[in-house]
Structure formats: structure tokens, C-alpha cells
Amino acid sequence: MSSRLIHIMKPSLYENNIITGITSSSTFKPNQEATRGEAALFLANALELHTKNVNNPGFKDVPITSEYYGAIAALYEAGIVGGYGDMFRPDTTLTRAQLAKMITIGFNLQKASNANTKFTDVNRLTDANTKYYIQTLVDYNITRGTTTTTFSPNQNLTRGQLATFLFNAMNAVNEFEVISIK
């Protein structure tokens, strides 16, 4: 009998209220593009940030009645996310590279100081910081890319990818137990 590794979440992302479904608890839609608001909510949940009694970041498009308000305010206060002037744009999509930055900062990962990835599309980027954030995810085994040689930094992030990145980041900082099953 062969040995294999199985990741067991105790509790799971859903059971621990880190991720939520769309319109119901039984519909996740992993291939749907993730919004900035969803990413903020899921990341704040994963980081266990206090989202009540937060300072108002002043984003005109995030009223205090928004389901994302507490998460966005907490992440902003922690220096993990920023906005576009006085707007956050919670309903717009975000890219895989943008999430790489959020995860690196949010999970307080040691940011790479150089980028020697196998990802040809990352190596072609002109922004060194973006390369370093992506390299950080590679260094922590949080990503393997969209193919063996591409990361797709400018591709819009899906909800499934968001959940995978968060799960892997939490594993990287030992939030979940990994066991070997024979």
C-alpha cells in the first residue's frame, strides 16, 4: 500500500467561517471571479482580525452597513490593503499578483529579496516588488502556478484559487495539521 499525504483542516475553511458561499451555504462557485470585498472578508477571517469597533477607513464605496466593512477596515488599519484614493472598489475583481501581496503582508511572511521563479511570465514582469511577492508564495509552497511554467499574475483570481491560497498560507504558518496516511 502506498503512502500519501492528506491535508486535514481542523476545522475546515467553511466550518471555521473563513469562506462563505454565494447566496446560500451550499453554493461556493469556485470558478467565479473573486471580488476585492470577498478577498478582504476571507483574508480577515483567516487572520482572525477583529472586525468590530474598527476605525472607519473613509472609503466612500464601503458603507458601515456593507458585509465587507469590518474586514476592509481591519485590513486597512493593519496595513494589509489600501484603496484607490477614497474608494476601495469592493465589487471589482483582483488579480493573482494582488492577492500575493495581500497574503505576504497579511500572514507576515518573509518577503523574498530576489525572484528566481520557474514562472516565465513572472520573470518578465518589470515591477520587482510584484515578483518578490509571488516568489514569496513559491518559497512558502503556497502556489505552484497555473501551469508548471506560468503563474498568470495579471489573471483575475477565482474564488477557488482564493480559498486554495488561504488554505496553503494557513498551512505555511502551521494553522492546520498535515498528517501522513499509509
Side-chain angles (χ1 to χ4, degrees):
M1 183 181 290
S2 66
S3 176
R4 61 188 170 116
L5 282 180
I6 295 179
H7 296 274
I8 296 183
M9 299 184 305
K10 296 183 179 180
S12 75
L13 294 177
Y14 175 76
E15 289 169 343
N16 202 32
N17 296 316
I18 293 170
I19 61 171
T20 60
I22 296 204
T23 67
S24 76
S25 61
S26 63
T27 305
F28 183 70
K29 297 191 178 183
N31 295 320
Q32 181 173 306
E33 291 179 343
T35 66
R36 287 174 48 86
E38 289 171 324
L41 179 63
F42 295 178
L43 181 58
N45 290 343
L47 296 173
E48 299 180 346
L49 296 180
H50 296 284
T51 59
K52 307 285 185 217
N53 301 317
V54 290
N55 293 325
N56 189 330
F59 296 126
K60 291 180 180 179
D61 57 351
V62 185
I64 60 172
T65 56
S66 168
E67 68 179 303
Y68 306 125
Y69 173 79
I72 291 168
L75 290 169
Y76 181 81
E77 191 171 323
I80 298 168
V81 299
Y84 298 92
D86 62 358
M87 305 290 273
F88 184 77
R89 301 180 185 163
D91 298 323
T92 61
T93 58
L94 73 158
T95 65
R96 292 169 52 84
Q98 289 169 326
L99 187 69
K101 179 179 180 180
M102 292 169 67
I103 287 178
T104 299
I105 295 170
F107 283 93
N108 199 28
L109 304 177
Q110 180 64 46
K111 186 171 94 171
S113 57
N114 61 44
N116 297 315
T117 76
K118 62 182 179 177
F119 303 135
T120 56
D121 54 356
V122 172
N123 295 332
R124 289 190 302 264
L125 294 173
T126 57
D127 180 23
N129 275 321
T130 299
K131 288 181 184 182
Y132 300 157
Y133 289 125
I134 295 167
Q135 181 65 51
T136 300
L137 297 191
V138 172
D139 292 347
Y140 280 87
N141 294 314
I142 294 170
T143 187
R144 291 189 182 97
T146 52
T147 72
T148 56
T149 59
T150 59
F151 177 78
S152 305
N154 298 316
Q155 180 181 51
N156 287 339
L157 183 75
T158 67
R159 289 172 52 85
Q161 291 167 343
L162 173 58
T164 301
F165 279 125
L166 290 175
F167 176 80
N168 291 343
M170 294 174 83
N171 275 331
V173 295
N174 299 315
E175 290 291 329
F176 293 129
E177 181 180 339
V178 178
I179 63 171
S180 178
I181 304 292
K182 294 188 185 223

